[in-house]
Amino acid sequence: MLEFNTEPLEKTILKDNSVVYSIKNFYKNPDTIHKWMLLQDSFYHKEHEAGNNGHLFHDKRQHIPNAEISNVAYYIESIVGHSHVNPEGIVTNIFKYSGDEYKDNYWSPHKDIGWTALIYFEGSGTNLYIPRKNAEFNKGIEHEEPWRKKLDWDLLHHIEGDYNKLVIFKGGDIYHGQAIDQKHTKRLNQVMFFK
C-alpha cells in the first residue's frame, strides 16, 4: 500500500541557508492510504494534560501499526543521514479548529527533534519561523495558550499542504507550526521524525 515515488526530489535553500526537500505525488496510491487512515482510531494529543484541546480546538494523533513504513523511512534516512524515531508504524496529525485567532497570531511555533518529514493529505500546510528578539515561546502545558503574536515572529517560509506531497526540513533547528488561516482550519498529515 505504501509504494512511493523518489523523483523528482526538489531542494529549496531558504534565506537562512536551511534546506527544505520535497516530492510531489509521493505515494503511488494516496487515495487508498487516505481512506484507510480515516477508518483508523485517533486520540487526543497529550490528553493527560490540562488545557483547551478537545474544547476550543481538536488536536489528535493516530499511531497505526504498519510494517511497510520501514521502506519509506529507509528512503528518507538516505536523504537526511539520520535514523527514523518511530519505526513501528504510521503516525498522523489530525487537527480541527474554528475561530479567528489566526488573524493576529501563529499557531504554536515549536521545534521537534532532528529532521521532520510530513506527507499532506488534508488541509493546512506548514510555516517556518524566525523568532524576533522579544518572541514568546510555548511554556508549560502545550494546549493552554498555543497562539503566538505574529508581530513577534518572522515568517521564513510557507510550505503549501498540497495533497500527497512529502516535505522534509530540519525541525530540530527551525521553529515551525501548522499554517492556519481562514481557508485552512483543519489538517490530516503523516509525520515522521529522524535523529
Side-chain angles (χ1 to χ4, degrees):
M1 183 173 66
L2 299 185
E3 289 183 290
F4 58 91
N5 298 302
T6 60
E7 297 293 340
L9 176 64
E10 298 178 9
K11 181 178 180 180
T12 303
I13 305 294
L14 306 183
K15 63 183 179 183
D16 69 341
N17 290 320
S18 57
V19 60
V20 176
Y21 297 100
S22 63
I23 296 177
K24 296 177 181 177
N25 302 312
F26 180 64
Y27 282 126
K28 292 184 178 180
N29 302 297
D31 294 349
T32 300
I33 298 168
H34 186 200
K35 290 174 184 175
W36 176 74
M37 284 178 174
L38 294 175
L39 295 174
Q40 308 304 309
D41 291 334
S42 63
F43 57 90
Y44 280 98
H45 182 47
K46 298 188 177 180
E47 56 190 346
H48 59 283
E49 292 185 353
N52 295 306
N53 195 10
H55 305 290
L56 301 181
F57 50 85
H58 301 274
D59 187 9
K60 303 176 89 174
R61 299 290 184 272
Q62 293 172 306
H63 291 175
I64 309 168
N66 187 294
E68 288 183 72
I69 196 64
S70 61
N71 295 326
V72 179
Y74 293 148
Y75 171 67
I76 297 174
E77 286 174 3
S78 73
I79 297 170
V80 302
H82 294 277
S83 298
H84 185 209
V85 174
N86 46 336
E88 73 281 354
I90 294 173
V91 177
T92 68
N93 293 313
I94 302 172
F95 186 88
K96 189 174 182 181
Y97 159 80
S98 60
D100 62 0
E101 283 92 346
Y102 64 83
K103 291 180 179 178
D104 299 313
N105 301 278
Y106 290 124
W107 177 268
S108 191
H110 66 282
K111 291 182 179 180
D112 293 320
I113 55 172
W115 289 82
T116 301
L118 297 168
I119 304 163
Y120 299 103
F121 286 95
E122 288 182 14
S124 62
T126 303
N127 286 336
L128 309 181
Y129 305 106
I130 297 175
R132 295 184 182 177
K133 185 176 181 180
N134 298 317
E136 288 188 9
F137 301 87
N138 289 345
K139 298 175 183 177
I141 298 173
E142 179 178 350
H143 293 116
E144 256 186 344
E145 296 179 18
W147 296 102
R148 295 292 173 263
K149 294 178 182 177
K150 287 184 177 180
L151 293 174
D152 294 337
W153 294 84
D154 289 320
L155 181 61
L156 173 64
H157 185 66
H158 171 72
I159 301 169
E160 291 288 345
D162 299 326
Y163 183 73
N164 194 31
K165 179 171 74 175
L166 165 70
V167 298
I168 309 166
F169 59 91
K170 207 163 188 181
D173 291 347
I174 305 170
Y175 283 96
H176 59 280
Q178 179 181 189
I180 299 177
D181 55 32
Q182 185 175 10
K183 183 179 177 182
H184 301 103
T185 57
K186 68 175 186 174
R187 71 172 171 176
L188 168 59
N189 61 38
Q190 180 184 341
V191 61
M192 304 174 75
F193 302 108
F194 299 81
K195 70 171 184 176

